Every structure is written in structure tokens, then in C-alpha cells.
């Protein structure tokens, strides 16, 4: 049955090379766009180096003080103290790491300035993330206690600062804004799109200029909470919420300006969304907009395909008449045409996959994002297949319905 | 086996109404070979389509094996066509994109038959019409007579009790036409009930019974 349908679909494709070209061109382009977008979203939100444990991580990155009428609001990262008190103490978590949001600094090589991203972290940072050490090791509790001037740098900074000659740089010193740090480790760098872990150089949080002793709730720090397994996330969120609920109003009211404190431990994706949407209503609106845009991207070529299909019904009339005369129920015909469309879509999907692969290679190689690691991985591939299916259905159902309703006697006259 | 009572068919278009069939009463018995004749446009095809459940009458009743079909659902009608009826058309209506054997298998696609069994039955049917050496050909590579024999194989592959043929020899020369008639007669002696529309007096004479239509009305 299926081979029979596919044989027909194939012949129909070959019969009209021009239509086939136009159709496949539309499908391929649409799917390529969707697949590159999917791959990019996966790059942003999926679990990738060095945050490979994102599926069991929660991010505490913003602290919002507001009043119940939402007239004034103040928001930003928390202080080290705050996170130490309310996040580090989570009993349901496996590990909690605190790091500063981001920072900039300069280093000089032969009088030339290198702009640097800096990050101050605790020791847990190195277990919550999955940095690959090319040489050396991370700093430990002793370094933290002694406030040692040590640093972990990326391979890119190593090459820039020391020049790449294959020689070990562990133990050498790097001068950053007139402070000498001893390099104790070199890690493979990560793309800047991993905003909470990306940096060029990492220091213990007790190193100079980290501001970890700043008083107050607000500061420059964020926390990543690692669960033993994803199923524990709700329990951790509940525990964290209860910690926050116990904070007395006097601590955040700021002379009675605020009476509401919102701090959430969110998954990376939720956290990202919450930057744009404050309420569930906003979120639904956002989903609606995204859905609409996706539907537009997929809908326009689909409508075009519907058009081509419908206008070619006549050509297939005799076949439909014959099949019905010999006992094909409307449902079987409906399926036949849907399967045909899905088949065509999948051919387009195969082209799109090749094209997407090329585009992704190009993006990765272009240096547009440093350390870009866009991939067509299994989830992206599965989503792409799903997208193909939806597209095939979208463009196939209506023509199929029209065709299966054709009256036999009429169909056989043509 | 097939009984039509007071069947009427009216075609309505926006401007005109055509009474294509008027008060038709026919009773085709099991094993009969019936032919339908009449001038062009008198309603022969319309009648055959109604007998074959390809079209519904505007009025009147059709019974198949004693049960009226008007209450049947589309799905049930499809099943009935699949099990009981086999069609042969004047213009063959083979699917050009499928090979001969795939064309013959079509009726079996809509029943529970394994691919292997379908192949076997289709081969058997093609042997009956003498075309077993053309299985992998495509309709475009066949002569008119060969196409019609493929169409006959397709009509009989599901072993239906009733074969309906609308001018099966209309597009063929007389020698080829006689050969096709021979095949139909053989099927009839093997037990099939056949209703055939024809223009050819000589052919009609060779059948058991002749129904004549004139302007939508049954004249004999
Ligand atoms: N779909 C239709 N709409 C309107 N009128 C139709 C339709 N089909 C057939 N007719 C009319 O019904 C009448 C009978 O048509 P039918 O095709 O049954 O004739 P026929 O006897 O088979 O003719 P022929 O020998 O030329 O095949 C004709 O007058 C025809 O114009
Ligand atoms: Mg006719």
C-alpha cells in the first residue's frame, strides 16, 4: 500500500519537473530557515559546553523589588551575601555555585591592550560546569581562603597573551590592570552566548575587585543550582521560594518603597523568558507571537503548495475515480494524498538538512560567534522531522480532502 | 441479484435540467449476461453507473442481493463495490504512473490482502487475459486491446460476482473487440454476472438479454 503511494508520488514528481522544482525549492527554503533557527535556539537554550548539565540546573539571576501596584520596580543581580545566605544553603540541591554576572578588564601585551571579560567564582563553579582543562587545574578552597592571586584563563587568551608556542603557561604570571596573577589552569573557551559561564579569565571570588563583600541584597552575582536529577527541580524551587518568603519586609522595602520581593530559581529557558515576560499573561502573548511567526514562515509556502495541489486535482481525477470505483473509501484516499505530500516534504527536508548543515558550518567557521558550536544534533534533527511532518500535513490535508470528496462518475468523465 | 425499481436520474445544472433516466425497471439475475443498447446520449452510461453504485439515482430504488442500498454509508458502498463489482471502461482508465501489475492490484489494496497474495492474484488475472508477459510494462507501452485486457484483469482480480462494462470494445477494432467479448463470455460461463453497454448489434445478440434505451426510457 505504502510503496504503491510512494511510487505514485515519485511519478507525479517526475512528471512535472518545473512544478516539482518550485515546490521543492519552497519547502527546502522554509525548512532550512526553520532548522537553522531551531539549531540556533538549541545553541542558546540547549545543554552545551560548558553548561552540559542545564537540564538539571536552576539559575538565580535577577532579584526584583516592586510594590503590589507595580508602579515602581528595581531589578538586577543579587549580592554575594544574599546568594550565600539563601541559595548556598539549599538542602535539596546537589551543589550551588555563585559567580559574578560579568565584568571587564584590560591586559597589555607589548603595549597593546587586550579587552577581557572577567569572572569571579567559587570552587563549586568548576563542578557545576563542565570546562575542559587543557592544562593545570581549577583553584580550590585554599586559594579562596588565602585570597590568592590566581587565575584560570581560556586557550584564546593564552594564545593572545603568551603567544602560542605549545609551551605550558601554568605558573606564568598574567598582568591584569597592574595586578599579577599566577595562571593555574587553561580551559577550552566557550561561546559568549553562554552568558553566565562565558569569560576570558576566571578568578576566585576573594580576588581583588570582585566586590563580594558588598552589603545589601542587590549586587553583581548570580547562582547556578545543580540538582541530583531533573525530577528534584520542583523541590529545590519550593525550598528556595520558602527561603525567600521568610525574608522580612524591612530587608527589601527600601524605606517603604517596595513591598514585594521576587527572586526565582528558574530553568535556563524560563529564566530567559522571564526577562521579557513578567506575568503568565505576557508569556502567553509571547508564545502566541512566536507561534504566529512560525505559522507565517511555514504557512506561506504551505498555502502555495495547497494551491499547486488543488489546481492539479483534475489531472488526478481519473485515478481518483478508478480507485473509488474499485472500492477505495474516502479515508484511504485522504491518507494517500497526505502521505504523498509528506513524502514530498521529506525529500525537501533531506535537501534542507544538507543545506542547513552547510549554513551551520558556515556560521561556525565565520567567527561571528566565538567558539560557535551550532550543531544538527538529535533533538534538532527530531524537531526538524516534526516540522516536516507538520508542514506536510498543513499543505496536504485540504487538497487531499477535496480530492477524496470528488464524485466518482464525474471524476471518470475527465 | 441487481434490481432497479422506478429509477429516475435528473442532471441539474444552473440553467438546464436533463432527465437522463426515466422510470427504469431492471432485474439482472445471477449468472446472466445482459447488454444495454441505445443511441448516443440516451442514458446508457448513466444507467450503468447507477447499477454499479458509482452514482446515486434521483428517485427509485436499487437492491443488491435483496437489500436496498440507499441507506448505505459511503464506507459501506465502497466495500460493496470492492467485494462485488468489477468495472471495465471504454477509455480504460488505467493509471499511467503505475505498471500493469500495479494497476491490476488496485482493487486488492482496499482489502486485507498481503503484498505476496496481491501479486499472485494479479498474475493469475493477467494470465486469464493472456497478458502475463507484460506485467512490468506501463500503460503507455501497450496497444488499445492490451490496455483493455489489463482493465479486464483489474476488474476480475478481486473475483467479483458482477462485472460492469461500459462499451469495452468501443475504442477497439472488430477483431480485438471480438477477442474481448470472448474473454467476457468465458468469464460469464465461469459464473460471473455481466452487464455490458454496447453499440454493436452483433455483440448484443451474443448475450443472454438485451435492454434497449431511448431518450432515458426503457423500450425493451
Ligand atoms: N454530469 C452531467 N451533467 C449534466 N448532464 C449530464 C451529465 N452526464 C450526462 N448528462 C446527460 O445525460 C444524458 C445521458 O448521458 P449518458 O452519458 O448516460 O449517455 P450515453 O447513452 O452513455 O451516451 P454515449 O453512447 O455517447 O456514451 C445525456 O443527455 C447527457 O448530456
Ligand atoms: Mg456512454
Amino acid at each position: 500500500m505504502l510503496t504503491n503511494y510512494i511510487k505514485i508520488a515519485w511519478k507525479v514528481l517526475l512528471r512535472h519537473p518545473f512544478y516539482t522544482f518550485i515546490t521543492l525549492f519552497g519547502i527546502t527554503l522554509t525548512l532550512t530557515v526553520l532548522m537553522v533557527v531551531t539549531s540556533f535556539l538549541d545553541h542558546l537554550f540547549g545543554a552545551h559546553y560548558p553548561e552540559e548539565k542545564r537540564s538539571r540546573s536552576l539559575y538565580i539571576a535577577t532579584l526584583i523589588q516592586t510594590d503590589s501596584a507595580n508602579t515602581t520596580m528595581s531589578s538586577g543581580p543579587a549580592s554575594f551575601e544574599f546568594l550565600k545566605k539563601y541559595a548556598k544553603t539549599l538542602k535539596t540541591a546537589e551543589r550551588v555555585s555563585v559567580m559574578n554576572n560579568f565584568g571587564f578588564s584590560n591586559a597589555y601585551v607589548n603595549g597593546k591592550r587586550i579587552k577581557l571579560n572577567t569572572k569571579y567564582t567559587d570552587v563549586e563553579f568548576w563542578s557545576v560546569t563542565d570546562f575542559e582543562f587543557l592544562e593545570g587545574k581549577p583553584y580550590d578552597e585554599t586559594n579562596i581562603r588565602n585570597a590568592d592571586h590566581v587565575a584560570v584563563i581560556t586557550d584564546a587568551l593564552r594564545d593572545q597573551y603568551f603567544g602560542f608556542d605549545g609551551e605550558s603557561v601554568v605558573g606564568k604570571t598574567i598582568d591584569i590592570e597592574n595586578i599579577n596573577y599566577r595562571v593555574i589552569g587553561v580551559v577550552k573557551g566557550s561561546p559568549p552566548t553562554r552568558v553566565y559561564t562565558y569569560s576570558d579569565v576566571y578568578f576566585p571570588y576573594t580576588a581583588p575587585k570582585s566586590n563580594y563583600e558588598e552589603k545589601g541584597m542587590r549586587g553583581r552575582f548570580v547562582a547556578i543550582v545543580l540538582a541530583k536529577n531533573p525530577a528534584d527541580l520542583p523541590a529545590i524551587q519550593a525550598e528556595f521560594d520558602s527561603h525567600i518568603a521568610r525574608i522580612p519586609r524591612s530587608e527589601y522595602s527600601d524605606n517603604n518603597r517596595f513591598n514585594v520581593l521576587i527572586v526565582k530559581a528558574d530553568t535556563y529557558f524560563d529564566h530567559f523568558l522571564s526577562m521579557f515576560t513578567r506575568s503568565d499573561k505576557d508569556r502567553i502573548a509571547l508564545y502566541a507571537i512566536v507561534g504566529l511567526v512560525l505559522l507565517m514562515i511555514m504557512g506561506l509556502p504551505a498555502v502555495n503548495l495547497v494551491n499547486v495541489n488543488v489546481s492539479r486535482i483534475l489531472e488526478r481525477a481519473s485515478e481518483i475515480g478508478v480507485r473509488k470505483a474499485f472500492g477505495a473509501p474516502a479515508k484511504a484516499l485522504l491518507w494517500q494524498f497526505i502521505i504523498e505530500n509528506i513524502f514530498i516534504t521529506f525529500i525537501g527536508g533531506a535537501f534542507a538538512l544538507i543545506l542547513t548543515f552547510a549554513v551551520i558550518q558556515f556560521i561556525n567557521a565565520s567567527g561571528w560567534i566565538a567558539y560557535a558550536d551550532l550543531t544538527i544534533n538529535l533533538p534538532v534533527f527530531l524537531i526538524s522531522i516534526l516540522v516536516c511532518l507538520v508542514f506536510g500535513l498543513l499543505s496536504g490535508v485540504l487538497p487531499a480532502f477535496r480530492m477524496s470528496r470528488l464524485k466518482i462518475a464525474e471524476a471518470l468523465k475527465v | 441479484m441487481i434490481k432497479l425499481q422506478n429509477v429516475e436520474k435528473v442532471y441539474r445544472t444552473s440553467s438546464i435540467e436533463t432527465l437522463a433516466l426515466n422510470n427504469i425497471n431492471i432485474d439482472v439475475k445471477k449468472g446472466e449476461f445482459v447488454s444495454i443498447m441505445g443511441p448516443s446520449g440516451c442514458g446508457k452510461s448513466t444507467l450503468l453507473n447507477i447499477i454499479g453504485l458509482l452514482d446515486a439515482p434521483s428517485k427509485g430504488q436499487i437492491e443488491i442481493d435483496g437489500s436496498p442500498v440507499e441507506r448505505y454509508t459511503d464506507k459501506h458502498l465502497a466495500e460493496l463495490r470492492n467485494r462485488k463489482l468489477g468495472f471495465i471502461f471504454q477509455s480504460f482508465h488505467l493509471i499511467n504512473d503505475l505498471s500493469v501489475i500495479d494497476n491490476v492490484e488496485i482493487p486488492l489494496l482496499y482489502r486485507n490482502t498481503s503484498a505476496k497474495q496481491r501479486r499472485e492474484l494479479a498474475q493469475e488475472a493477467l494470465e486469464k487475459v493472456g497478458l502475463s508477459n507484460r506485467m512490468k510494462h506501463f500503460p503507455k507501452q501497450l496497444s488499445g486491446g492490451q490496455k483493455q485486457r489489463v482493465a479486464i484483469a483489474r476488474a476480475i482480480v478481486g473475483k467479483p460476482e458482477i462485472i460492469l462494462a461500459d462499451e469495452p470494445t468501443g475504442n477497439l477494432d472488430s477483431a480485438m473487440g471480438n477477442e474481448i467479448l470472448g474473454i467476457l463470455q468465458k468469464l460469464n460461463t465461469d459464473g460471473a454476472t455481466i452487464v455490458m453497454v454496447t453499440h454493436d448489434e452483433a455483440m448484443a445478440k451474443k448475450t443472454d438479454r438485451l435492454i434497449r434505451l431511448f431518450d432515458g426510457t426503457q423500450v425493451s
Side-chain angles (χ1 to χ4, degrees), chain A residues 413, chain B residues 39-46 49 90 166-167 197 199:
Chain A
K413 276 214 174 98
Chain B
S40 185
C42 71
K44 305 180 296 293
S45 296
T46 305
N49 285 344
Q90 177 176 0
D166 192 351
E167 304 196 44
V197 171
H199 264 119

Side-chain angles (χ1 to χ4, degrees), chain A residues 1 4-5 7-8 11-12 15 318-319 322-329 332-333 336 407-414, chain B residues 11 49 53-55 75 78-79 81-82 85-87 89 93-95 97-98 102 106-107 109-110 118-119 138 154-155:
Chain A
M1 194 82 133
N4 194 291
Y5 292 165
K7 261 186 217 169
I8 291 254
K11 292 287 173 55
V12 170
R15 216 180 322 142
S318 155
E319 177 190 342
V322 165
R323 288 185 187 269
K324 284 192 130 180
F326 284 102
L333 289 173
Q336 171 179 350
K407 284 223 169 76
I408 307 175
E410 304 285 318
L412 287 172
K413 276 214 174 98
V414 232
Chain B
Y11 286 112
N49 285 344
L53 311 177
L54 301 184
D55 209 349
K75 194 178 159 211
E79 200 179 311
R81 284 194 291 267
N82 185 258
L85 305 170
F87 297 91
F89 307 98
H93 282 306
L94 298 178
I95 299 175
D97 291 328
L98 291 178
D102 284 336
I106 285 173
L109 291 177
Y110 305 108
R118 284 206 299 266
R119 203 84 330 192
F138 282 86
R154 179 178 63 186

Side-chain angles (χ1 to χ4, degrees), chain A residues 171-240:
Chain A
K172 292 191 178 179
T173 52
I174 179 167
D175 176 343
I176 297 169
E177 310 228 313
N178 300 323
I179 299 172
N180 278 328
Y181 294 89
R182 182 165 51 88
V183 175
I184 67 166
V186 178
V187 290
K188 192 180 125 205
S190 65
T193 40
R194 315 278 137 76
V195 288
Y196 295 118
T197 49
Y198 163 75
S199 188
D200 297 306
V201 55
Y202 300 85
F203 306 113
Y205 68 86
T206 47
K209 297 182 186 168
S210 82
N211 296 307
Y212 80 103
E213 281 165 314
E214 235 171 15
K215 291 294 164 215
M217 308 181 92
R218 293 270 302 281
R220 306 176 187 189
F221 284 84
V222 297
I224 300 179
V225 182
L226 189 66
K228 273 194 200 66
N229 57 61
D232 293 345
L233 294 180
I236 296 173
Q237 285 172 317
E239 192 193 352
F240 184 67

Side-chain angles (χ1 to χ4, degrees), chain A residues 60-76:
Chain A
I60 304 171
T62 17
L63 188 150
I64 303 170
Q65 289 158 284
T66 180
D67 57 51
S68 35
N70 252 325
T71 47
T72 49
M73 193 179 85
S74 164
S75 80

